[in-house]
Amino acid sequence: MFKNLFKRKNKEDKSKEKEERKVVTEEIERDELGTKVDERERLDIKEESNLSFFDKLKVGLDKTRKGMTEKIDAILKSYGKVDEELFDDLEEILVTADIGINTTMEIIDRLRDRVKVEKVTEPDRVKGLLKEEIKEIMKEARKENSLSIEPLPVVILVVGVNGAGKTTTIGKLSYNLKNEGKKVIIAAGDTFRAAAIEQLEEWSNRSGADFISHREGSDPAAVIFDGIQAAKARKADVLICDTAGRLHNKKNLMNELNKIFRVVDREYPEAQKEVLLVLDATTGQNAISQAKVFKEVCDITGVVLTKLDGTAKGGVVIALQSELGLPVKLVGIGEKIDDLQEFNVDDFVEAIFN
Ligand SMILES: Nc1nc2c(ncn2[C@@H]2O[C@H](COP(=O)(O)OP(=O)(O)O)[C@@H](O)[C@H]2O)c(=O)[nH]1
Ligand SMILES: [Mg+2]
């Protein structure tokens, strides 16, 4: 049954993609109005926890694990042998976990082949194979998931729509880099609202980074220019630049980002450039559409997937990486300053399957 659905879906892909684009644009426009958020409440960040790195990831991925692994376990238990119907059921679970139709179909095709070649008949062996295939498919699409920050210095440009978690991510990333002994400067390239600048300044203070900003409404490229001059003069290792996501349409977005990129290329050619796209995991397939738009607008070098702690849609990581070829480099698993982790395929897959 699912097969037919997929075929239909493929046909509809083109018009659907158009519609998705519209959703992204509409979202950006809505953001233009500026959602009122209590900054004090936002900045009331709780204490650091002392769970291990992997345990924290597991806790963060709790909902995704429940939505996926518990269902998979139940299905596998209900089958006496491995047959086509079992594959259909697995397919349905993966699609529901926001892995995306194309990636899901590829995973299931490969799983079916493995089962055939290895003559697997017991359903309880299928989970291990599924896990291996997911790891494989993610690694094939993208071999490098770590931030490219060596050799220093590096400029990290952070892009994404309003509310995705850019500012929070910059604060957390700065905190992690400071803990590694790096000198960090943050430039407030989102000049749209005074509150956004204040929010970023607060995060800079908390993480111990220097902060460069201009007045509300000023030219973002000018802020980045000053950030670069400061980074050079103070011999900073990392310059992290915030940008605004509240832009009317793709053309404006492109113009604004390109202006910033030109300043970076011209003023700081010796620095490595990392362009991180921040996506909100709770938006599921919409995060995929946003990624497609941003990919057309600029050269994204990595993705930060935030709010994985609050969603069962964590499977979107798999689609981003295998379908769009975008390496997921960091994941946000909470609102605290130490809730940003480097992404690792093996850890991620183990955390959602165990
Ligand atoms: N639960 C959770 N919330 C997050 C995470 N990252 C960001 N947020 C929240 O998402 C909201 C928007 O974040 P913000 O950094 O202001 O987004 P920006 O508009 O892209 O700069 C804030 O309330 C953050 O606390 C995360 O990893 N987990
Ligand atoms: Mg912001």
Side-chain angles (χ1 to χ4, degrees):
M1 189 204 88
F2 241 73
K3 270 274 135 59
N4 288 336
L5 186 83
F6 285 151
K7 275 188 200 128
R8 220 181 316 128
K9 275 238 135 117
N10 271 343
K11 268 192 216 146
E12 286 168 12
D13 259 8
K14 280 238 154 63
S15 64
K16 192 153 171 263
E17 207 162 80
K18 244 188 227 160
E19 209 173 287
E20 282 170 351
R21 292 273 153 78
K22 220 177 97 206
V23 172
V24 177
T25 317
E26 275 170 6
E27 183 158 305
I28 293 169
E29 279 171 8
R30 235 186 300 121
D31 289 334
E32 181 81 25
L33 301 172
T35 346
K36 277 209 173 125
V37 182
D38 187 342
E39 299 302 326
R40 307 289 135 223
E41 200 179 295
R42 267 190 180 185
L43 295 169
D44 180 25
I45 303 137
K46 293 122 225 155
E47 280 176 15
E48 293 171 33
S49 59
N50 43 24
L51 280 174
S52 82
F53 186 82
F54 187 68
D55 284 341
K56 267 180 70 174
L57 181 64
K58 265 188 86 167
V59 171
L61 289 170
D62 216 36
K63 286 189 180 154
T64 299
R65 183 173 51 251
K66 287 205 169 86
M68 220 163 116
T69 307
E70 289 183 9
K71 281 189 204 156
I72 290 174
D73 287 342
I75 287 290
L76 293 176
K77 254 196 210 113
S78 71
Y79 277 84
K81 61 176 174 39
V82 181
D83 59 18
E84 199 44 42
E85 226 176 295
L86 172 60
F87 290 124
D88 282 352
D89 282 345
L90 287 175
E91 235 166 35
E92 191 169 346
I93 295 169
L94 298 188
V95 170
T96 318
D98 269 77
I99 291 181
I101 284 168
N102 298 339
T103 309
T104 295
M105 283 178 76
E106 195 174 339
I107 292 169
I108 296 295
D109 283 347
R110 291 164 68 143
L111 184 66
R112 196 185 281 111
D113 288 347
R114 283 275 305 266
V115 163
K116 212 168 162 185
V117 171
E118 295 177 28
K119 299 188 173 60
V120 175
T121 50
E122 321 85 74
D124 61 353
R125 274 190 59 200
V126 171
K127 190 175 162 189
L129 296 180
L130 178 63
K131 215 161 83 174
E132 281 173 27
E133 288 309 321
I134 290 178
K135 283 182 187 176
E136 200 52 42
I137 208 171
M138 289 181 79
K139 287 180 186 172
E140 273 170 18
R142 259 292 150 189
K143 297 200 166 53
E144 193 47 69
N145 283 100
S146 45
L147 283 178
S148 8
I149 58 172
E150 302 291 341
L152 296 164
V154 61
V155 183
I156 303 177
L157 293 152
V158 181
V159 304
V161 303
N162 191 28
K166 289 184 298 298
T167 303
T168 312
T169 296
I170 291 171
K172 294 169 177 174
L173 178 59
S174 163
Y175 172 82
N176 288 352
L177 292 166
K178 290 291 291 185
N179 278 349
E180 289 171 18
K182 299 199 166 62
K183 181 168 173 56
V184 181
I185 297 184
I186 293 175
D190 178 359
T191 59
F192 196 78
R193 281 183 311 144
I197 302 172
E198 282 165 28
Q199 183 201 1
L200 189 63
E201 183 165 24
E202 187 70 36
W203 274 106
S204 299
N205 293 339
R206 297 191 67 244
S207 65
D210 286 3
F211 184 65
I212 304 292
S213 69
H214 287 186
R215 261 177 310 136
E216 173 185 3
S218 57
D219 179 5
V223 182
I224 306 305
F225 179 91
D226 279 0
I228 293 169
Q229 305 317 319
K232 287 182 188 171
R234 301 177 200 175
K235 298 191 168 38
D237 298 309
V238 186
L239 171 66
I240 313 179
C241 306
D242 196 6
T243 65
R246 303 169 200 79
L247 298 150
H248 275 304
N249 55 40
K250 216 163 92 179
K251 196 157 169 275
N252 282 354
L253 182 66
M254 198 170 333
N255 288 343
E256 176 130 1
L257 292 179
N258 282 344
K259 199 170 162 195
I260 290 173
F261 288 3
R262 273 201 303 277
V263 168
V264 173
D265 289 339
R266 191 182 65 219
E267 300 297 325
Y268 212 12
E270 67 271 35
Q272 287 210 77
K273 207 166 74 180
E274 179 85 77
V275 183
L276 295 179
L277 170 61
V278 178
L279 297 169
D280 176 344
T282 64
T283 64
Q285 291 303 300
N286 194 265
I288 301 283
S289 333
Q290 283 176 25
K292 285 180 184 161
V293 172
F294 274 89
K295 239 182 116 176
E296 285 172 19
V297 170
C298 55
D299 289 326
I300 304 295
T301 59
V303 166
V304 182
L305 204 64
T306 62
K307 311 183 200 180
L308 269 173
D309 51 300
T311 181
K313 298 176 176 175
V316 75
V317 173
I318 303 167
L320 277 169
Q321 184 142 324
S322 67
E323 217 168 302
L324 299 187
L326 286 173
V328 178
K329 296 199 167 175
L330 299 164
V331 287
I333 48 168
E335 291 184 277
K336 297 192 291 309
I337 201 161
D338 59 347
D339 283 337
L340 184 76
Q341 292 193 353
E342 285 191 13
F343 179 76
N344 171 289
V345 170
D346 293 313
D347 285 350
F348 178 81
V349 176
E350 291 301 329
I352 49 173
F353 274 98
N354 287 334

